[in-house]
Amino acid sequence: MENVLEIKHPIIDRYLTFLRDKNTSTAVFRRAMSNIGVILAYHSLSDLPLDETEIETPIQKTKGYVPGPEVVVIPILRAGLSLVDGIINFMPEAKVGHVGVYRDEETHQPVNYYDNLPVGIKDAYNLVVDPMLATGGSGSHAIKFLKENGAKTIKFVCLIAAPEGIERLQKDHPDVPIITAAIDEKLNENAYIVPGLGDAGDRYFGTI
Ligand code: PRP
Ligand code: URA
């Protein structure tokens, strides 16, 4: 698939096993999500442009690097918050914006309820973050909102993607690369990812 990176790594498989297992405790689920967030950030930021700077070691002057554009992480509330901890551990200078979208349980259509974007997203390197890309409605909606606010460089970072969601994002936003830890089989009749991990927000926040 073009413009889609499915990260293959034995440790990802290990963390995904904790995350998918319905008997995993909230504490272990949170830790696995945080650790996998670091790996997703590592791959998502692999082409971040850098500017050169000069620094001084205790021995002599030398070349250093600073991010060219600012990095902005935009979790789609609620479940997107689960990956933020890992991503900002890897990239502590990143700013964090928020887009609140939930999926209507009957229609599966995205409903927008909150936005708070930092200034400067127009020129930033923006990572839209959500663990689950199911129908793609929420992701597509959040990306559209960012573009309406002037964002030009956007990546979509998720944990598990359904083929249906990938197709939808690629159709609506062919310019936005998708980085995922797994591409699953399909959606079920309730538009949940199969095999997936169930409701990511409920499992992360312990609201089940
Ligand atoms: C989940 C998930 C995504 C969305 C994915 O959020 O975190 O945002 O569903 O589904 P889609 O690709 O079909 O739009 P949910 O609506 O459960 O809200 P929550 O994050 O507040 O739990
Ligand atoms: N949202 C989730 O949390 N899980 C799914 O499988 C689909 C949408």
Side-chain angles (χ1 to χ4, degrees):
M1 267 180 260
E2 243 174 82
N3 231 6
V4 181
L5 172 66
E6 184 186 18
I7 303 164
K8 298 280 191 193
H9 195 287
I11 303 303
I12 293 244
D13 287 338
R14 186 67 193 115
Y15 288 139
L16 274 170
T17 303
F18 290 127
L19 291 166
R20 291 186 192 280
D21 187 340
K22 68 175 187 182
N23 294 316
T24 293
S25 68
T26 307
V28 172
F29 190 91
R30 286 178 177 157
R31 174 63 71 88
M33 201 63 111
S34 172
N35 288 340
I36 229 165
V38 176
I39 304 172
L40 286 168
Y42 172 89
H43 287 278
S44 303
L45 294 168
S46 64
D47 61 354
L48 176 70
L50 296 175
D51 289 339
E52 276 189 17
T53 183
E54 191 179 75
I55 53 159
E56 223 175 318
T57 74
I59 312 299
Q60 66 161 49
K61 286 188 175 159
T62 187
K63 209 162 49 175
Y65 299 94
V66 292
E70 222 164 33
V71 175
V72 179
V73 181
I74 301 117
I76 302 178
L77 306 181
R78 270 178 323 164
L81 291 172
S82 62
L83 289 168
V84 172
D85 167 59
I87 296 174
I88 63 175
N89 263 324
F90 183 71
M91 177 62 190
E93 293 160 280
K95 289 189 173 176
V96 181
H98 297 85
V99 176
V101 181
Y102 73 86
R103 202 172 72 149
D104 183 276
E105 283 186 8
E106 308 265 294
T107 65
H108 307 140
Q109 293 306 304
V111 181
N112 195 200
Y113 61 91
Y114 181 75
D115 309 304
N116 190 335
L117 298 176
V119 286
I121 65 153
K122 281 191 178 75
D123 301 313
Y125 188 105
N126 298 289
L127 301 180
V128 176
V129 177
D130 194 325
M132 311 307 273
L133 177 61
T135 65
S138 307
S140 180
H141 180 89
I143 294 168
K144 180 165 163 278
F145 175 70
L146 249 72
K147 287 183 173 173
E148 286 165 359
N149 280 273
K152 293 180 283 293
T153 306
I154 305 173
K155 290 187 176 186
F156 187 84
V157 183
C158 62
L159 177 78
I160 302 179
E164 294 88 335
I166 293 176
E167 198 179 312
R168 166 83 188 268
L169 277 203
Q170 288 187 324
K171 180 171 142 291
D172 294 355
H173 304 288
D175 54 315
V176 174
I178 300 170
I179 295 94
T180 184
I183 299 175
D184 272 11
E185 207 183 308
K186 59 176 182 182
L187 297 180
N188 69 12
E189 59 286 1
N190 296 318
Y192 270 79
I193 300 176
V194 178
L197 52 70
D199 188 306
D202 280 347
R203 295 199 61 199
Y204 184 80
F205 289 106
T207 48
I208 31 175

